[in-house]
C-alpha cells in the first residue's frame, strides 16, 4: 500500500503539468471534433472525500486518479468502472431520483480511445458544466472553471496518450452568495455536465475566433452593402493568410494577419437580409493553413431611432416570449436541437418573432435553431437579483460569462440584444458593477443592442414611473411588471406609465400562474380563467405605453423551481407558463396570440 500511495503522490505532484486553459474557440460545430457525449460513470460525493482529506485540505490521491488496487490488501474505496452511468450532456436531477434536490459534488468519468494526429493539438471542450468544474485527464489536472452556462476549453495535448484515455470531472452545483447567479434564484439548479463534451483537433496556429457582419451603412445605388470580416489567431503571429469564402455571394478573399495575430477587411456585396420572414443564411468557409471552418451566417442590421427598434432599417415590434432552458415533460435541462425546436415551435404558434432566453446563456443549438426558424433573440447573463456587487471575484465571474456569451454567438444574425441583468436592486455599487459590464459588452460587440430587465419604481398608486440610472448605458429600456399577480388585476385599467427616456421600451416580464385544466371564476387564483383575464387586462394596459417596442411575457411553459411549493397546484413548478410542461395550451395563450396578430 505504501508503494501505491507513493506512486499516487508522485502523480499528484505533476498532475497540472502539460495542460492549459485557452481562450474559447468559437464555432466548435464547424470544426474537426470527436464527441465524448454518451454514458459517463458517476459517483456521488456528499462530503467531497474524493477531493479533501478529513481536515478539509485538498489532497493528491483523490478520485481523479482513478486508482485501482495493485494487491489484494490495497484499500481503494471507490471504483468508477463499477459505478452507475448517466448520459452526458444531461443533468443528474432527472437521471437519478435520489439526486432530484441534490446540490453538491458528483464525479463523472468517461473512458475513450484516442489516437493523436501528428503535428496537431487537441483541445478538451465543454459546452457548459453547472457550476464548479475541476477537470482531469488521465489523472492529471487539466483545469478549473466556474460558471454554469458558458463554454470553456483546455489544451490537453500533452495529457493524452495513444490508446485508452479517461476524463474525470468533479462537478459541484452548490449555491453561494458571491456566485453569478447568486444564492437564490427562481429556477431549478440542475447539476451536471449539461452540454456537449468534445475533443477539438487544431493545428498549432489556428483561428481562435472570427466576426462576419453587415455594417449599418446604407446600400449604394447598385444595392451593394459593406460586409466586415475580422479574425483572430490563437497566437500573435504576423504574415498568416486567412481566406474567407462565401460562394453564393462570389466572395473568395484573402487577408493577412498583423503582428497581433489579427486580420480584418471590409467587402462590398449584395446579400439578402436575414429577417423573421426570410431567415436567409449563407454557407461560409474560413481557411487558414490546413484548417477549414464552416458556418452558416446571416446578414442584417439592428439599431434604434428614438423609441423605435429598426431591423434592416425598418421599425419592428418584438412579439416575444420568455423561455427557460428546460425540456418538456419533466425532462430536465434542454441541450439539443430537438429540444429547442419543440420550445421554439410553441413560440411560433403564439405568433412570436422574438424570444428572451432567460436568465442565462442558453445552449448553442437553441440559438442556431432560433436563427434557422426566424426568431430574434435576447440573450443574457445571470446577474439576477442581489449579486455581491462589491466583490471583485464576482465581477470577474460576471464579465467572464458576458465575454464567453458574446464570443460564442457574435456571428448569429438573430441575436439582437445582450442583456446584463434582471431585477437588480438599485444602489451605487450595483450601478458601478453593471455599467462596467455594459461598457465591456460594447467593447466586444458594438453591432447589437444592450438592455437589462429593470424594476419599476412607483410614484403613486396608479402612476408607475421608471427611474433607473442604468438608462444611460442601455439602448433599450426594459422592465418587469406583475400587475394582476402581485397586485390586483383591476388596477391595470387605471394605470398610467411614465418612462422619461427617448429610447424603445420592452416589457420584459408580465404574467401570472395557472394550473392547466383547473377552471373557475376569473378572480380565482390558479385557474386558467384567472390567467386569461390577467392577460386580457395587461395587454390592454400595455397598449397605452408610449414607445412600446415589444414584450416578452413570463413565460412560455411551466418550469421547475424549488421556490414553488404549493401542494396540488405548483408541486415545485412555476406555473406561469402559457403552455403546461406537457405542451397543453392554457386559455391565456389565445389572448396573447390574438394580441400579437394585431401588431
Amino acid at each position: 500500500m505504501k508503494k501505491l500511495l507513493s506512486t499516487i503522490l508522485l502523480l499528484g505532484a505533476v498532475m497540472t503539468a502539460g495542460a492549459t486553459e485557452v481562450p474559447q474557440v468559437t464555432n466548435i460545430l464547424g470544426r474537426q471534433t470527436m464527441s465524448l457525449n454518451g454514458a459517463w460513470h458517476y459517483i456521488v460525493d456528499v462530503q467531497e472525500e474524493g477531493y479533501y482529506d478529513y481536515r478539509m485540505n485538498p489532497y493528491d490521491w483523490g478520485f481523479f486518479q482513478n486508482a485501482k488496487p495493485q494487491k489484494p490488501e490495497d484499500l481503494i474505496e471507490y471504483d468508477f468502472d463499477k459505478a452507475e452511468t448517466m448520459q452526458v450532456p444531461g443533468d443528474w436531477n432527472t437521471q437519478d431520483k435520489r439526486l432530484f434536490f441534490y446540490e453538491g459534488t458528483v464525479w463523472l468519468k468517461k473512458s475513450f480511445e484516442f489516437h493523436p494526429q501528428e503535428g496537431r493539438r487537441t483541445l478538451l471542450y465543454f459546452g457548459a458544466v453547472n457550476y464548479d468544474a475541476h477537470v482531469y485527464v488521465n489523472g492529471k489536472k487539466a483545469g478549473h472553471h466556474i460558471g454554469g452556462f458558458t463554454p470553456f476549453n483546455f489544451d490537453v495535448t500533452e495529457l493524452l496518450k495513444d490508446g485508452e484515455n479517461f476524463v474525470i470531472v468533479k462537478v459541484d452545483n452548490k449555491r453561494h452568495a458571491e456566485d453569478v447567479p447568486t444564492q437564490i434564484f427562481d429556477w431549478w439548479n440542475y447539476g451536471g455536465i449539461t452540454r456537449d463534451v468534445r475533443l477539438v483537433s487544431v493545428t498549432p496556429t489556428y483561428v481562435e475566433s472570427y466576426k462576419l457582419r453587415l455594417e449599418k451603412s446604407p446600400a449604394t445605388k447598385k444595392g451593394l452593402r459593406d460586409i466586415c470580416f475580422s479574425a483572430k489567431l490563437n497566437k500573435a503571429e504576423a504574415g498568416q493568410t486567412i481566406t474567407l469564402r462565401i460562394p453564393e455571394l462570389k466572395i473568395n478573399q484573402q487577408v493577412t494577419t498583423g503582428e497581433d495575430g489579427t486580420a480584418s477587411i471590409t467587402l462590398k456585396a449584395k446579400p439578402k437580409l436575414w429577417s423573421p420572414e426570410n431567415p436567409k443564411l449563407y454557407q461560409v468557409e474560413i481557411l487558414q493553413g490546413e484548417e477549414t471552418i464552416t458556418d452558416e451566417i446571416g446578414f442584417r442590421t439592428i439599431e434604434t431611432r428614438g423609441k423605435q427598434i429598426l431591423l434592416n432599417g425598418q421599425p419592428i415590434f418584438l412579439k416575444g416570449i420568455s423561455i427557460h432552458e428546460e425540456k418538456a415533460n419533466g425532462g430536465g435541462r434542454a441541450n439539443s436541437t430537438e429540444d429547442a425546436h419543440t420550445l421554439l415551435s410553441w413560440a411560433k404558434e403564439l405568433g412570436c418573432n422574438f424570444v428572451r432566453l432567460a436568465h442565462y446563456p442558453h445552449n448553442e443549438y437553441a440559438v442556431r435553431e432560433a436563427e434557422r426558424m426566424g426568431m430574434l433573440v435576447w440573450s443574457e447573463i445571470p446577474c439576477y437579483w442581489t449579486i455581491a456587487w462589491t466583490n471583485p471575484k464576482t465581477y470577474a465571474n460576471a464579465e467572464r460569462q458576458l465575454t464567453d456569451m458574446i464570443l460564442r454567438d457574435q456571428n448569429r444574425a438573430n441575436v439582437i440584444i445582450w442583456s446584463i441583468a434582471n431585477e437588480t436592486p438599485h444602489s451605487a455599487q450595483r450601478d458601478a458593477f453593471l455599467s462596467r459590464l455594459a461598457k465591456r459588452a460594447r467593447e466586444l460587440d458594438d453591432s447589437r443592442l444592450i438592455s437589462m430587465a429593470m424594476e419599476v419604481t412607483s410614484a403613486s398608486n396608479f402612476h408607475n414611473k421608471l427611474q433607473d440610472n442604468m438608462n444611460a448605458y442601455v439602448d433599450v429600456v426594459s422592465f418587469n411588471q406583475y400587475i394582476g399577480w402581485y397586485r390586483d388585476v383591476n388596477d391595470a385599467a387605471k394605470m398610467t406609465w411614465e418612462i422619461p427616456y427617448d429610447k424603445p421600451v420592452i416589457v420584459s416580464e408580465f404574467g401570472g400562474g395557472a394550473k392547466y385544466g383547473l377552471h373557475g371564476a376569473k378572480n380565482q387564483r390558479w385557474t386558467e380563467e384567472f390567467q386569461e383575464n390577467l392577460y386580457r387586462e395587461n395587454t390592454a394596459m400595455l397598449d397605452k405605453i408610449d414607445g412600446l417596442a415589444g414584450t416578452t411575457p413570463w413565460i412560455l411553459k411551466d418550469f421547475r423551481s424549488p421556490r414553488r411549493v404549493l401542494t396540488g397546484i405548483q408541486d415545485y413548478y412555476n406555473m406561469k407558463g402559457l403552455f403546461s410542461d406537457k405542451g397543453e395550451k392554457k386559455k391565456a395563450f389565445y389572448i396573447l396570440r390574438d394580441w400579437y396578430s394585431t401588431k
Side-chain angles (χ1 to χ4, degrees), residues 132-152:
D132 186 317
H134 291 266
V135 180
Y136 305 85
V137 177
N138 294 326
K140 298 179 181 179
K141 187 73 169 282
H144 178 217
H145 180 265
I146 294 176
F149 305 99
T150 49
F152 57 98

Side-chain angles (χ1 to χ4, degrees), residues 114-129:
F114 179 77
H115 303 288
Q117 295 175 272
E118 186 175 353
R120 298 184 71 86
R121 302 198 67 79
T122 303
L123 310 181
L124 176 57
Y125 168 91
F126 293 86
V129 178

Side-chain angles (χ1 to χ4, degrees), residues 278-533:
N278 180 33
K280 171 65 178 175
L281 298 175
Y282 287 89
Q283 298 295 318
V284 173
E285 294 180 345
I286 297 164
L287 296 81
Q288 187 270 326
E290 301 174 8
E291 301 283 6
T292 299
I293 304 169
T294 60
D295 208 341
E296 291 183 314
I297 293 178
F299 299 100
R300 59 97 189 100
T301 62
I302 192 72
E303 57 193 317
T304 64
R305 182 177 60 204
K307 292 182 178 292
Q308 293 181 318
I309 294 175
L310 306 181
L311 176 68
N312 300 326
Q314 299 299 315
I316 185 171
F317 186 86
L318 299 176
K319 298 181 282 189
I321 193 73
S322 295
I323 302 178
H324 261 303
E325 189 182 58
E326 189 171 274
K327 296 175 186 279
N329 298 304
R333 180 65 71 210
N335 49 41
S336 69
T337 297
E338 293 73 24
D339 295 336
H341 188 80
T342 296
L343 298 174
L344 293 167
S345 295
W346 294 354
K348 279 279 191 182
E349 288 187 69
L350 267 170
C352 294
N353 60 13
F354 179 54
V355 289
R356 178 188 180 203
L357 301 183
H359 282 297
Y360 39 77
H362 288 212
N363 66 83
E364 188 169 359
Y365 295 114
V367 178
R368 286 180 176 269
E369 184 64 7
E371 186 177 45
R372 286 188 286 266
M373 293 175 68
M375 300 290 276
L376 295 157
V377 164
W378 159 315
S379 186
E380 72 185 34
I381 57 171
C383 285
Y384 181 94
W385 292 356
T386 308
I387 295 292
W389 305 117
T390 59
N391 187 327
K393 290 184 178 180
T394 302
Y395 177 81
N397 184 346
E399 185 177 288
R400 169 72 187 267
Q401 293 189 48
L402 177 71
T403 300
D404 288 342
M405 174 180 71
I406 292 174
L407 287 176
R408 193 194 71 182
D409 293 334
Q410 62 190 353
N411 292 307
R412 304 280 64 83
N414 61 328
V415 179
I416 58 170
I417 292 176
W418 302 125
S419 173
I420 56 174
N422 177 78
E423 291 183 357
T424 51
H426 297 196
S427 70
Q429 293 79 11
R430 169 266 208 176
D431 292 347
F433 187 108
L434 294 182
S435 62
R436 286 181 66 190
L437 288 180
K439 292 173 184 176
R440 177 59 175 161
R442 290 200 195 282
E443 290 171 3
L444 291 167
D445 181 13
D446 61 359
S447 69
R448 288 177 174 83
L449 309 178
I450 294 175
S451 192
M452 58 180 281
M454 301 173 179
E455 291 184 311
V456 172
T457 54
S458 295
S460 65
N461 284 337
F462 298 107
H463 181 73
N464 285 320
K465 183 175 182 180
L466 185 66
Q467 293 178 302
D468 196 313
N469 293 334
M470 286 301 298
N471 80 85
Y473 299 94
V474 298
D475 302 298
V476 178
V477 175
S478 305
F479 64 90
N480 301 346
Q481 65 85 19
Y482 280 95
I483 293 169
W485 190 247
Y486 300 118
R487 180 167 176 165
D488 191 335
V489 72
N490 295 311
D491 291 348
K494 307 170 189 175
M495 285 294 167
T496 59
W497 297 84
E498 182 181 354
I499 302 168
Y501 314 118
D502 187 29
K503 295 183 178 184
V505 175
I506 293 176
V507 177
S508 38
E509 290 181 28
F510 72 91
K515 183 174 182 177
Y516 174 78
L518 180 63
H519 296 286
K522 67 180 183 180
N523 65 342
Q524 182 182 346
R525 288 267 180 177
W526 308 112
T527 64
E528 288 192 47
E529 286 75 13
F530 184 97
Q531 187 189 46
E532 176 188 41
N533 185 56

Side-chain angles (χ1 to χ4, degrees), residues 1 82 151 202 226 237 239 254 303 329 355 365 412 436 557 571 594:
M1 188 65 188
K82 293 180 181 178
V202 295
D226 288 337
E237 287 191 10
Q254 291 186 341
E303 57 193 317
N329 298 304
V355 289
Y365 295 114
R412 304 280 64 83
R436 286 181 66 190
K557 83 166 190 74
D571 299 318
D594 292 348

